[in-house]
Amino acid sequence: MTPYFVGAFIPARGWRAGVKPAPTFARVLHKRLVKACRSKVCKKMTFSFEILHKSSETGARLGKMHTGHGDVETPAFIPVGTQATVKSLTPEELRGLGVQIILANTYHLYLRPGHDVIAGLGGLHRFMHWDGPILTDSGGYQVFSLSRLRKISNEGVTFQSHLDGSKHLLTPEMAMEIQDALGSDILMCLDECTPYPATHAESLESLELSTDWARRCKKHHEPERGALFGIVQGGMYQDLRAQAAEVLIDVGFDGYALGGLSVGEPKELMIDVSAATLPLLPDSLPRYVMGVGTSEELVELVALGTDMFDCVIPTRNARNGQLFVRRGSINICNAQYRDDQAPVEAGCRCYTCLHYSRAYLRHLFMAKELLAYRLNTIHNIHHFMTLMREMREAIRQDQFEAFRKRFYSERK
Amino acid sequence: MTPYFVGAFIPARGWRAGVKPAPTFARVLHKRLVKACRSKVCKKMTFSFEILHKSSETGARLGKMHTGHGDVETPAFIPVGTQATVKSLTPEELRGLGVQIILANTYHLYLRPGHDVIAGLGGLHRFMHWDGPILTDSGGYQVFSLSRLRKISNEGVTFQSHLDGSKHLLTPEMAMEIQDALGSDILMCLDECTPYPATHAESLESLELSTDWARRCKKHHEPERGALFGIVQGGMYQDLRAQAAEVLIDVGFDGYALGGLSVGEPKELMIDVSAATLPLLPDSLPRYVMGVGTSEELVELVALGTDMFDCVIPTRNARNGQLFVRRGSINICNAQYRDDQAPVEAGCRCYTCLHYSRAYLRHLFMAKELLAYRLNTIHNIHHFMTLMREMREAIRQDQFEAFRKRFYSERK
């Protein structure tokens, strides 16, 4: 950034009064602005959320998140790029599939290659060649699901790396620093993901730890370093969820997530807890249900007013041969596809369906060919992106109930 | 194809005398012709080879092979797509890398998914969405290197599948039928790859089997079903190589390959045998050294008049983390690349080098991420394609010795 540019533009307020550049000049300056806004300097100041339309029939809302790395239309599905890559795909392919934001995992990147390494290389966006928004989780979920010998104290959580057994302490403050070093656009508070099942007392204890950590995250977080989301825990107890929401809203975050769902509980329970909790969250801020879900869950949760989701289902299941279609899904290893000339789904416009038969995809999968995982992933992400786009369009037209009806009728 | 079209065009001779369609009509017909020529109907009749320039300093030659699925500039390197896929890449990526022809393995495709399955799905081109030329090996090499309990008789070779232990008999006639069912543009004769080391007597016996099989392949092959190449065996004995070449030329093939090289012998011996044998092959037909090789070997063999190569080196080594550069190669898992901002090779214009650092590639490789294999493969194929293009350009300008000098000086 040139000194001149710094002088002419005040990121927080826009153009300085009285300075009205000639068109060509403005164009040059605009380019520099875009570039600068993609660097650490001012990218984080720009986070905001606007609601464009609310469904009159359901709680669904159409919105847009503005981040320093671009906009995200909501309701949005966030593909998971655990280790700084959405497995098997390039960023260009993700863009082509309509992906606007990805998720990366603090736990994995902290352990390998190290957040310091990534920071030294210019941050996660540059490292992985993705110039869109990135949301990073806090690492909490992985500490509890992947690592060995976890020990929780008020200070934080001590754990052994699942890679080499090395010992680490993760505190709320460190979770902020790691995500900041990565250059995340949306940071998540460190929390404890309450397991299922858990008693009321266990859930309360876990919740209190999470809210205490959330306060410390907020305190340690510099607002200009990115948006910070709080995570509502509380197990499957609606009173605890309400209590958590109240405390977190009091602390004040840029968005609110529901954590500790999709951890083994029945789908109906997950929907019930979400239905009870989502209305307690600020209407004007993004609402994010973490780790969810299936197509049906996305539809139901959008109807309840959810704006964001992340889940490994489209990518992981692709690598296991499960391909999503409007009727449900097919398992490509099934012998019935051996001679099947048809694409995975008739009418699907994804690269995979446009060029390859089920027979070829089955062959690749049976032969454990690398291309199998890639073509399957392309189809599944396209399927999820199409579902989200259709839901957004339905909300825009205030036709969400009609959409939902059609969605279920196709699955019969 | 419409009956009208069939009547108007005689594939072997071109337009029927007196039929001169109006421009618009011609355009429609031309489209149909292209389509038809990509189907089995007339695609194979078009094989030919032309030499565009001969080096005055070396034996190198610049040429072009014409096939029913397009032209191939020679000297050409043929990436290996063993199981109907060049591992991890799409056909579009191969095209973008300058690949003009690929190799597929008869042995693998016969066992899985079955040549009958592929034929039923419209042939290999359609199956794998590659509309360029395909060369298929005969399956002989894999029978000898992969399968269990091989038993050779005059009739053919009985073997057990490496996949499920099932028993199979592969005869020269079947090798032709399988490759024909796949829809190959260039078919290879069934041969026995003489192991190294082998005595003169063993090599002679093996050679006699291969030449007998070659005769049977030729006899069973319908010329309109694709070009058929003979394979010169003979171990490391120049007299046997000469004997094999003489017999095969007498039988008459569309091109000639040297087989049984790069099987463990010293590089110098391989070059010596090639240097002695290549000049014995018809000047006007393509010469193909199978299973070779390293950059140095390609340069030396092009200088000796080789027109075609295939080898798994760029693709397999990519998946093992070895990336080729002008100086030689680097191993991306090396700790020194942990923080390395530089691309694999400065100045390289491949997708990988344009967008990713060595540090990111190392991270992906260490994390066993699928994208690692893909980005590495892109770089290595680009490297080999660039080498071939530079060699062709050097021959065109009659500067091959200057090229060779520069090539070696860069590797110091």
Side-chain angles (χ1 to χ4, degrees):
Chain A
M1 211 188 319
T2 65
Y4 175 81
F5 171 68
V6 172
F9 187 73
I10 304 161
R13 295 205 215 134
W15 292 101
R16 177 187 280 175
V19 177
K20 200 180 176 188
T24 320
F25 177 68
R27 213 158 44 230
V28 173
L29 220 48
H30 175 73
K31 276 190 186 168
R32 287 188 188 168
L33 167 64
V34 169
K35 203 173 160 187
C37 274
R38 290 190 172 176
S39 79
K40 258 188 182 170
V41 182
C42 71
K43 78 168 194 207
K44 307 297 186 55
M45 303 179 193
T46 52
F47 185 85
S48 64
F49 179 62
E50 58 173 327
I51 291 176
L52 302 173
H53 189 78
K54 286 187 179 186
S55 165
S56 67
E57 312 157 308
T58 67
R61 32 229 238 120
L62 181 76
K64 200 175 261 187
M65 280 198 302
H66 305 282
T67 83
H69 284 93
D71 294 346
V72 180
E73 295 170 287
T74 61
F77 181 85
I78 314 177
V80 176
T82 308
Q83 304 191 104
T85 162
V86 175
K87 291 192 195 302
S88 83
L89 301 189
T90 62
E92 286 82 359
E93 280 168 331
L94 292 170
R95 283 281 186 209
L97 288 163
V99 172
Q100 296 177 336
I101 177 170
I102 60 165
L103 178 147
N105 284 86
T106 292
Y107 170 86
H108 286 94
L109 296 175
Y110 160 74
L111 289 179
R112 182 174 60 192
H115 58 294
D116 49 338
V117 170
I118 293 178
L121 290 163
L124 188 52
H125 293 84
R126 189 164 159 193
F127 184 59
M128 69 179 290
H129 175 49
W130 167 258
D131 63 0
I134 297 176
L135 182 148
T136 46
D137 70 359
S138 67
Y141 183 80
Q142 282 73 29
V143 165
F144 294 102
S145 62
L146 284 181
S147 70
R148 290 173 285 177
L149 295 175
R150 296 175 300 279
K151 212 182 138 190
I152 299 172
S153 65
N154 278 342
E155 191 186 2
V157 53
T158 309
F159 66 95
Q160 272 195 320
S161 160
H162 73 294
L163 296 175
D164 60 6
S166 56
K167 253 194 173 171
H168 302 268
L169 169 69
L170 183 63
T171 65
E173 291 76 16
M174 277 187 58
M176 291 297 97
E177 283 167 24
I178 297 169
Q179 292 178 73
D180 182 40
L182 295 175
S184 175
D185 297 285
I186 301 177
L187 297 80
M188 301 302 297
C189 287
L190 183 67
D191 64 337
E192 186 194 19
C193 181
T194 312
Y196 176 83
T199 65
H200 193 276
E202 288 163 351
S203 301
L204 175 62
E205 193 185 356
S206 167
L207 158 66
E208 284 175 341
L209 183 76
S210 288
T211 46
D212 176 51
W213 284 358
R215 272 192 207 95
R216 283 165 58 188
C217 285
K218 166 82 178 184
K219 196 173 166 192
H220 199 73
H221 175 64
E222 295 169 39
E224 72 275 14
R225 308 299 268 173
L228 178 61
F229 280 30
I231 305 176
V232 176
Q233 291 286 349
M236 301 302 153
Y237 303 95
Q238 296 186 11
D239 61 322
L240 296 184
R241 291 275 173 182
Q243 178 184 328
E246 197 183 332
V247 176
L248 292 177
I249 291 167
D250 190 50
V251 177
F253 290 97
D254 299 308
Y256 293 88
L258 303 193
L261 295 176
S262 235
V263 290
E265 77 281 10
K267 181 196 155 188
E268 295 69 29
L269 183 54
M270 187 271 279
I271 298 290
D272 284 351
V273 172
S274 302
T277 316
L278 286 165
L280 308 176
L281 301 176
D283 187 70
S284 60
L285 295 179
R287 303 160 176 171
Y288 168 25
V289 178
M290 302 182 81
V292 172
T294 64
S295 298
E296 288 89 345
E297 289 167 347
L298 298 184
V299 170
E300 291 312 310
L301 289 168
V302 163
L304 293 170
T306 311
D307 307 301
M308 300 157 69
F309 305 92
D310 80 277
C311 193
V312 294
I313 280 186
T315 44
R316 179 177 296 165
N317 295 24
R319 299 195 306 281
N320 293 329
Q322 188 185 22
L323 298 172
F324 294 104
V325 293
R326 287 182 183 270
R327 285 181 65 87
S329 68
I330 68 169
N331 203 321
I332 200 65
C333 72
N334 198 310
Q336 76 183 91
Y337 303 123
R338 183 169 170 272
D339 302 289
D340 195 336
Q341 294 248 22
V344 174
E345 175 145 56
C348 175
R349 303 294 299 164
C350 83
Y351 170 76
T352 303
C353 285
L354 286 178
H355 299 298
Y356 303 94
S357 62
R358 293 169 173 179
Y360 184 65
L361 295 177
R362 176 177 191 272
H363 163 67
L364 290 181
F365 189 77
M366 299 307 284
K368 299 189 172 59
E369 278 288 349
L370 291 169
L371 191 58
Y373 312 120
R374 188 175 160 194
L375 295 180
N376 291 356
T377 303
I378 286 173
H379 174 81
N380 276 1
I381 289 189
H382 179 269
H383 180 88
F384 270 61
M385 290 297 136
T386 302
L387 174 65
M388 300 311 293
R389 195 170 51 244
E390 287 176 357
M391 283 202 276
R392 290 196 299 267
E393 196 50 39
I395 303 169
R396 194 188 320 273
Q397 297 176 8
D398 214 8
Q399 299 279 330
F400 197 81
E401 281 299 8
F403 162 83
R404 179 149 65 169
K405 206 169 157 187
R406 198 174 61 244
F407 171 83
Y408 282 110
S409 75
E410 285 175 343
R411 298 176 93 71
K412 269 171 199 161
Chain B
M1 211 186 320
T2 65
Y4 176 80
F5 172 68
V6 171
F9 186 73
I10 305 162
R13 296 207 214 131
W15 292 100
R16 179 187 278 175
V19 178
K20 201 180 175 186
T24 320
F25 177 68
R27 214 159 42 231
V28 173
L29 220 46
H30 175 74
K31 276 189 187 168
R32 288 188 189 170
L33 168 63
V34 168
K35 205 173 161 188
C37 275
R38 291 193 170 175
S39 80
K40 261 188 181 171
V41 182
C42 70
K43 77 168 196 213
K44 307 296 186 52
M45 303 178 192
T46 53
F47 185 84
S48 64
F49 180 62
E50 57 174 327
I51 292 177
L52 303 173
H53 189 79
K54 286 187 178 185
S55 166
S56 66
E57 312 157 309
T58 68
R61 34 237 230 117
L62 181 76
K64 200 175 262 186
M65 279 196 305
H66 305 281
T67 83
H69 284 93
D71 295 345
V72 180
E73 295 169 288
T74 62
F77 181 85
I78 313 176
V80 176
T82 307
Q83 305 191 103
T85 161
V86 175
K87 292 190 191 305
S88 83
L89 300 190
T90 61
E92 287 81 0
E93 280 169 328
L94 292 170
R95 283 280 185 209
L97 288 163
V99 172
Q100 297 177 335
I101 177 171
I102 61 166
L103 179 149
N105 283 85
T106 291
Y107 170 86
H108 287 94
L109 296 175
Y110 160 74
L111 289 179
R112 182 174 59 193
H115 58 293
D116 50 338
V117 170
I118 293 177
L121 291 161
L124 189 51
H125 294 85
R126 188 164 161 193
F127 185 59
M128 69 180 289
H129 174 51
W130 166 258
D131 63 1
I134 297 177
L135 182 149
T136 47
D137 70 0
S138 67
Y141 183 80
Q142 282 73 31
V143 166
F144 294 102
S145 63
L146 285 181
S147 69
R148 290 173 284 176
L149 295 176
R150 296 175 298 279
K151 209 181 140 190
I152 298 172
S153 65
N154 278 343
E155 191 186 3
V157 53
T158 309
F159 65 95
Q160 272 196 320
S161 161
H162 72 294
L163 296 174
D164 61 5
S166 56
K167 251 193 175 173
H168 302 268
L169 169 69
L170 183 63
T171 65
E173 291 76 16
M174 277 187 59
M176 291 298 96
E177 283 167 24
I178 297 169
Q179 292 178 72
D180 182 41
L182 295 174
S184 175
D185 297 283
I186 302 177
L187 297 80
M188 302 300 299
C189 286
L190 184 66
D191 64 338
E192 186 194 20
C193 181
T194 312
Y196 176 84
T199 64
H200 192 276
E202 287 163 353
S203 300
L204 175 61
E205 194 185 355
S206 168
L207 159 65
E208 285 175 340
L209 183 74
S210 289
T211 45
D212 178 51
W213 284 357
R215 271 192 208 95
R216 284 165 58 188
C217 284
K218 166 81 179 186
K219 195 174 166 192
H220 199 74
H221 174 64
E222 296 169 40
E224 72 276 14
R225 308 300 269 173
L228 178 61
F229 280 30
I231 305 176
V232 176
Q233 291 286 350
M236 301 301 153
Y237 303 96
Q238 295 186 10
D239 61 321
L240 296 184
R241 291 277 172 180
Q243 178 184 327
E246 199 183 328
V247 176
L248 293 179
I249 291 166
D250 189 50
V251 177
F253 291 97
D254 300 308
Y256 293 87
L258 303 194
L261 295 176
S262 236
V263 290
E265 76 282 10
K267 181 194 155 191
E268 295 68 31
L269 183 54
M270 188 270 279
I271 298 290
D272 283 351
V273 172
S274 302
T277 317
L278 286 165
L280 307 177
L281 302 176
D283 187 68
S284 61
L285 296 178
R287 302 162 176 169
Y288 167 26
V289 177
M290 301 183 81
V292 172
T294 64
S295 298
E296 288 89 344
E297 289 166 348
L298 297 185
V299 170
E300 292 311 309
L301 289 168
V302 164
L304 292 170
T306 310
D307 306 302
M308 300 158 68
F309 305 91
D310 80 278
C311 193
V312 294
I313 281 187
T315 43
R316 178 176 295 166
N317 295 24
R319 298 195 307 281
N320 292 327
Q322 187 185 24
L323 298 172
F324 295 104
V325 293
R326 287 183 181 269
R327 286 181 64 87
S329 68
I330 68 171
N331 203 319
I332 201 65
C333 70
N334 199 309
Q336 76 185 89
Y337 304 123
R338 185 171 169 271
D339 303 288
D340 196 337
Q341 294 248 21
V344 174
E345 176 146 56
C348 176
R349 305 292 300 164
C350 83
Y351 170 76
T352 304
C353 285
L354 286 177
H355 298 299
Y356 304 95
S357 62
R358 293 169 173 178
Y360 183 65
L361 295 177
R362 178 178 189 271
H363 163 66
L364 290 181
F365 189 78
M366 299 307 285
K368 299 189 173 59
E369 277 288 350
L370 291 169
L371 191 58
Y373 311 120
R374 186 176 160 194
L375 295 180
N376 291 356
T377 303
I378 286 173
H379 174 81
N380 276 1
I381 289 189
H382 180 268
H383 180 87
F384 270 61
M385 289 298 137
T386 302
L387 174 65
M388 300 311 292
R389 196 169 51 244
E390 287 176 356
M391 284 202 276
R392 290 196 298 267
E393 196 50 38
I395 302 169
R396 194 187 319 273
Q397 296 176 7
D398 213 8
Q399 299 278 331
F400 197 81
E401 280 301 4
F403 162 83
R404 180 150 65 168
K405 206 170 157 186
R406 195 173 66 245
F407 170 82
Y408 283 109
S409 74
E410 284 175 344
R411 298 176 93 71
K412 271 173 195 160

